[in-house]
Amino acid sequence: MGNTAGIFQVSTESIYMLFMALGLYFLRQYFKTNFFWQLSLALSFFITSCLIKPGSIFLAIILTLFFGIKILKKYQSKAIYFIYGSWLLVLMQCAGLKYQFGNFTISYIDAITYYCYLGAKAEAIETNQDFEKVWLERTHFIYNQDPPISKIMAKEDLIEQWQTNKINLGKAYFLNLLENASTGSTPIQDCKNITNKKYFIVSKKVLLGISVWQNIIFSIVAIFLATYLLLACYKSDPYYSIVSFFILYTIFSSGISCSEGDRFNVITFPFVLILMAKCFSKKSTEAAKIYTVR
């Protein structure tokens, strides 16, 4: 439900999910055929996705380094221009912000997100204030600063809270993870009964309830399966380890924000199905072997 409802919203999640799906598809093809152009194309989608969702920059760097030896061996091939071109786009974005604001960074949204959400919740817990009140104060303040100043202030706030409010910062992070994994689709919640349909209220409650349980179930399954397959398939089938790493990276990095419904975790749902298929196919194969032996 969250995936479907999110299509009609102006947000990064749908297009980011498409890029990740394409990247993982070509990566799977690469592991099957060992054609470098498929690896290059896969990495180009992972790298370019940073321009859609800046938080994935570390994922792109890690994956590039993971295939570093293969890339170095093929540094003169034509296919590698997919990777060169993608990183060039990222560098152009960083250079543009450096020229305009003075910081060589891909985005300022990460600092603002921390300051307005994770930092605000940690402060609210420490001072026993309502989160909405602290959020409004911090949001109004940070958005009235120049981008370079906002980045500096967010960094200083993180350092200060880490030194003086570490426990509450950890609590805020855990509460954000819990909220992101147990709430429903915001687009469904925001729907309005414009045409005055009699069944609207009931339908909205049902669909919202389904999205809540989908989020809870998929998030729990995602964490357990991804943790297991990340380690179990590292040598035998690294593709599933990479899918698992992406899922865990997405879920645990979502703790920096909150009050967004299932917006963050819903990205992982299609890829959780891949892990579920892997586990079921593995069990089916083992069962078939046992049956054959008997």
Side-chain angles (χ1 to χ4, degrees):
M1 290 301 167
N3 285 333
T4 304
I7 293 173
F8 303 97
Q9 295 289 308
V10 181
S11 64
T12 60
E13 275 64 39
S14 295
I15 187 67
Y16 177 72
M17 194 187 306
L18 173 63
F19 270 61
M20 298 311 296
L22 289 170
L24 289 172
Y25 168 76
F26 283 109
L27 188 62
R28 184 57 178 165
Q29 295 303 110
Y30 164 72
F31 280 115
K32 286 182 178 180
T33 63
N34 203 34
F35 291 149
F36 179 73
W37 71 267
Q38 293 174 330
L39 172 61
S40 182
L41 196 56
L43 290 176
S44 72
F45 280 110
F46 295 135
I47 297 164
T48 310
S49 68
C50 302
L51 302 175
I52 303 167
K53 201 172 182 67
S56 64
I57 182 67
F58 298 107
L59 178 66
I61 292 173
I62 291 170
L63 288 175
T64 302
L65 292 175
F66 182 80
F67 293 101
I69 296 177
K70 177 67 70 173
I71 293 172
L72 289 174
K73 290 180 179 179
K74 299 287 186 177
Y75 77 97
Q76 289 184 325
S77 68
K78 292 181 180 179
I80 204 169
Y81 284 102
F82 287 123
I83 299 175
Y84 291 161
S86 300
W87 277 118
L88 179 61
L89 290 175
V90 173
L91 291 174
M92 287 173 63
Q93 166 74 3
C94 296
L97 290 182
K98 172 69 175 177
Y99 175 78
Q100 188 172 2
F101 298 109
N103 294 108
F104 189 81
T105 181
I106 192 169
S107 173
Y108 289 99
I109 193 64
D110 54 345
I112 293 174
T113 301
Y114 156 76
Y115 191 85
C116 295
Y117 291 95
L118 180 60
K121 183 165 286 189
E123 181 183 336
I125 295 173
E126 180 188 26
T127 58
N128 199 26
Q129 296 185 68
D130 181 62
F131 168 71
E132 293 293 332
K133 179 177 179 296
V134 179
W135 176 80
L136 283 171
E137 292 174 352
R138 281 183 165 239
T139 301
H140 178 74
F141 177 75
I142 201 74
Y143 274 100
N144 280 286
Q145 309 299 321
D146 291 331
I149 301 300
S150 67
K151 196 172 186 69
I152 294 172
M153 296 188 69
K155 182 179 179 180
E156 291 177 348
D157 183 83
L158 176 59
I159 293 173
E160 181 181 355
Q161 295 225 44
W162 180 258
Q163 293 174 343
T164 63
N165 193 31
K166 188 182 301 183
I167 294 177
N168 291 323
L169 190 65
K171 287 181 181 178
Y173 175 78
F174 177 77
L175 289 173
N176 285 352
L177 288 180
L178 192 62
E179 180 184 327
N180 292 334
S182 60
T183 46
S185 173
T186 303
I188 295 177
Q189 197 168 12
D190 292 340
C191 286
K192 300 284 191 292
N193 191 7
I194 297 174
T195 55
N196 297 317
K197 299 293 185 182
K198 294 181 180 179
Y199 55 81
F200 176 84
I201 296 176
V202 175
S203 300
K204 180 177 178 178
K205 286 183 178 179
V206 170
L207 294 176
L208 185 61
I210 292 174
S211 71
V212 169
W213 281 105
Q214 283 181 332
N215 192 13
I216 293 172
I217 293 170
F218 268 97
S219 296
I220 293 173
V221 172
I223 292 173
F224 280 99
L225 277 187
T227 302
Y228 168 68
L229 291 177
L230 177 66
L231 302 174
C233 296
Y234 179 73
K235 292 183 178 180
S236 60
D237 197 341
Y239 172 76
Y240 291 100
S241 291
I242 293 173
V243 175
S244 299
F245 179 77
F246 161 69
I247 291 172
L248 293 174
Y249 178 89
T250 302
I251 290 177
F252 286 107
S253 63
S254 74
I256 195 175
S257 187
C258 61
S259 304
E260 299 285 355
D262 63 359
R263 176 183 171 186
F264 301 105
N265 288 10
V266 78
I267 296 173
T268 66
F269 293 177
F271 310 105
V272 175
L273 293 176
I274 294 176
L275 300 190
M276 291 173 67
K278 170 64 176 176
C279 287
F280 283 127
S281 65
K282 185 177 181 180
K283 290 181 178 179
S284 298
T285 303
E286 291 175 352
K289 288 181 179 178
I290 295 172
Y291 180 80
T292 303
V293 171
R294 288 179 178 176

